[in-house]
Amino acid sequence: QLKLRMEKDDAECIFGIASKYMEGTDFPKDEGKAFELYQRAAKLGSANALAVLGRCYEGGYLGAAKDNQKGIYYKELAAAKGNVHARRDLALACGRNGFIDLAI
């Protein structure tokens, strides 16, 4: 079932499998594979994957080169698709940087 959904480019299925690789549940823990699958899911439109990529780039997680600009870019894409976690992260960043009007 999962293989078929992945072959059909089911973005949320791919996101879920990426999370399993990241956590080491049902699949062996493999952060590189998780990052690769998050990228694939993001390209297919997963708001959740976009938000995770934003965090990866901001924190340098899962082997991503730390890049705040890229992190914000992915979080903005995720927020525009309705991801509440990305919206919260962006609001907190705006508040920390003195852009209170943007944070509200």
Side-chain angles (χ1 to χ4, degrees):
Q1 179 86 21
L2 288 177
K3 185 179 178 185
L4 180 61
R5 288 178 65 193
M6 283 190 67
E7 287 172 0
K8 292 187 179 243
D9 285 335
D10 181 327
E12 291 311 316
C13 175
I14 295 166
F15 169 80
I17 292 170
S19 297
K20 290 181 179 290
Y21 273 109
M22 183 183 72
E23 297 163 359
T25 7
D26 298 329
F27 295 97
K29 187 174 177 111
D30 185 335
E31 292 182 349
K33 181 72 171 175
F35 186 72
E36 173 189 316
L37 289 172
Y38 283 133
Q39 288 177 309
R40 180 175 166 197
K43 285 179 185 171
L44 292 169
S46 169
N48 292 322
L50 289 164
V52 169
L53 286 179
R55 286 189 172 190
C56 287
Y57 283 113
E58 280 190 338
Y61 305 124
L62 302 182
K66 193 170 182 176
D67 183 333
N68 285 331
Q69 291 290 90
K70 227 179 205 182
I72 290 169
Y73 169 76
Y74 280 107
K75 286 183 182 182
E76 286 175 340
L77 292 176
K81 288 181 162 281
N83 185 282
V84 295
H85 302 292
R87 286 182 180 186
R88 181 204 61 222
D89 288 352
L90 289 170
L92 291 171
C94 286
R96 278 193 307 269
N97 291 302
F99 299 108
I100 302 302
D101 291 344
L102 292 174
I104 298 174

